[in-house]
Amino acid sequence: MGRGKDNIRYREMEVAEGTYIPDCDVCYPEQDPDEHIMPVRYDGTEVVLDENYPYLDDSFRYRFNHFMNATLLRLLVMHVNRLRYGLKVEGREKLRRNKALLRNGAITVCNHVYRWDLSCVLHAIRPHRTWFPIYGEHLRGKDAWFMRYLGGVPVPETRSGMRPFNEAFDELHRRGEWIHVFPESCSWKHYVPIRPFHKGAFTMAYKYGMPLVPFVISYRERKGIFRWFDKADTPLMTVHVGDAIIPDLNRPRKEDVDRMLREAHAQMGTMAGIVRNPWPATLES
């Protein structure tokens, strides 16, 4: 048994029959769901994230690199996901059925479980693109170009930077863009339980009156031809599309943010085949 399954949270978890649990050699934290276990691969880049940073960049350089990144994603990454991880999408008809509801954009959330998990969401919502908040540390690492020009908007590291950061998302909402947030905050490779959520995505959904669509990545055993493309203990992936959650602007903000958070957490657990989740929906008061 790998270290991943030898964990108090896994022992407390109950799953539906047929739910596949990867046997990963990862030592997952048992008490702190926000502990970073996948370090940034720094390359020496210096970035100052204050009020002068272009959080919403409409320059030709940005638009060109954004186009190139989207093309690379469509022509390479999505095909690698299919080949290497056997990526499947279940429930995409829900997006087509709610096309009118989602015509002015949506907020998406997903569990954060491997390096390219955002590309799974983009694969499911295509042809829409999405913008997403990222930690500034990612712009100092080797994935900086991919993260920034995929639509990453770095979280400011100064108080003065919060105003232009918030204004950037205000403008993206005005343009009808999609916004993605990982409410678990950090990535735990191939982790099965749904960890506690932070409230940012749900506060944003309430603020903008935008529908929120939960996604979840679950796992399948690596079999057949897929054994050729990665290690036997690397699972195949399925991304599930949940039912849209609509903010109720007639309710107090704090109350409705909590409702949406808990509803998304429950939906994602069910889609992942989890009967009893060992983590609470949130640790925030």
Side-chain angles (χ1 to χ4, degrees):
M1 178 185 292
R3 289 180 293 172
K5 290 183 178 179
D6 186 23
N7 179 288
I8 188 173
R9 300 293 175 175
Y10 272 60
R11 293 196 296 269
E12 292 174 348
M13 179 177 63
E14 295 180 12
V15 298
E17 184 177 355
T19 299
Y20 180 68
I21 302 177
D23 194 11
C24 298
D25 191 24
V26 178
C27 187
Y28 300 117
E30 297 185 338
Q31 301 302 326
D32 182 3
D34 294 328
E35 182 177 336
H36 289 253
I37 63 174
M38 298 180 67
V40 175
R41 302 180 302 166
Y42 292 103
D43 65 359
T45 301
E46 292 295 329
V47 181
V48 179
L49 299 174
D50 59 11
E51 70 275 14
N52 298 312
Y53 186 86
Y55 296 97
L56 183 60
D57 192 343
D58 285 325
S59 68
F60 172 79
R61 177 183 177 183
Y62 184 88
R63 287 185 286 111
F64 176 78
N65 279 288
H66 187 74
F67 169 78
M68 292 300 295
N69 202 330
T71 302
L72 178 67
L73 181 78
R74 184 169 58 252
L75 297 181
L76 179 60
V77 175
M78 289 185 177
H79 293 293
V80 170
N81 269 334
R82 288 195 187 102
L83 188 65
R84 184 177 180 185
Y85 298 108
L87 182 64
K88 294 182 179 180
V89 179
E90 293 189 357
R92 195 163 184 261
E93 69 280 357
K94 297 174 184 177
L95 302 179
R96 294 191 292 267
R97 190 165 60 238
N98 290 312
K99 187 176 181 179
L101 174 67
L102 305 173
R103 68 180 181 276
N104 294 320
I107 291 177
T108 59
V109 295
C110 186
N111 53 335
H112 206 358
V113 292
Y114 88 114
R115 185 180 179 189
W116 289 355
D117 44 17
L118 178 61
S119 67
C120 295
V121 176
L122 287 168
H123 183 82
I125 69 172
R126 67 190 189 279
H128 301 289
R129 60 184 181 181
T130 190
W131 306 81
F132 52 99
I134 57 173
Y135 289 115
E137 294 300 300
H138 291 296
L139 297 188
R140 301 182 178 101
K142 295 183 178 180
D143 290 335
W145 186 89
F146 181 75
M147 298 286 284
R148 175 61 170 149
Y149 295 111
L150 190 61
V153 181
V155 177
E157 296 174 336
T158 66
R159 185 184 298 270
S160 60
M162 288 306 301
R163 180 175 179 179
F165 173 81
N166 290 329
E167 288 174 348
F169 281 101
D170 291 345
E171 176 61 18
L172 290 170
H173 166 58
R174 189 192 68 79
R175 296 178 185 180
E177 300 281 11
W178 288 54
I179 298 170
H180 180 79
V181 180
F182 286 110
E184 293 176 330
S185 82
C186 60
S187 179
W188 287 8
K189 185 178 179 180
H190 304 155
Y191 193 66
V192 175
I194 308 300
R195 285 175 282 152
F197 288 170
H198 292 272
K199 295 182 179 180
F202 311 95
T203 300
M204 193 177 290
Y206 187 90
K207 175 184 178 181
Y208 296 137
M210 295 176 73
L212 184 141
V213 183
F215 292 73
V216 76
I217 295 171
S218 67
Y219 312 99
R220 310 189 315 275
E221 184 179 359
R222 185 168 291 271
K223 295 180 178 180
I225 193 172
F226 294 109
R227 290 180 177 271
W228 295 0
F229 302 115
D230 213 318
K231 298 176 182 178
D233 61 354
T234 299
L236 303 179
M237 310 280 187
T238 302
V239 58
H240 306 261
V241 183
D243 296 313
I245 300 171
I246 311 302
D248 184 350
L249 304 184
N250 294 316
R251 300 175 69 173
R253 179 189 61 82
K254 183 176 180 180
E255 178 182 306
D256 204 53
V257 164
D258 186 69
R259 173 191 67 85
M260 290 189 288
L261 182 153
R262 294 180 185 281
E263 187 173 332
H265 197 268
Q267 267 202 58
M268 290 166 64
T270 299
M271 289 189 292
I274 299 172
V275 175
R276 185 164 73 92
N277 198 332
W279 292 102
T282 182
L283 297 180
E284 297 182 20
S285 58

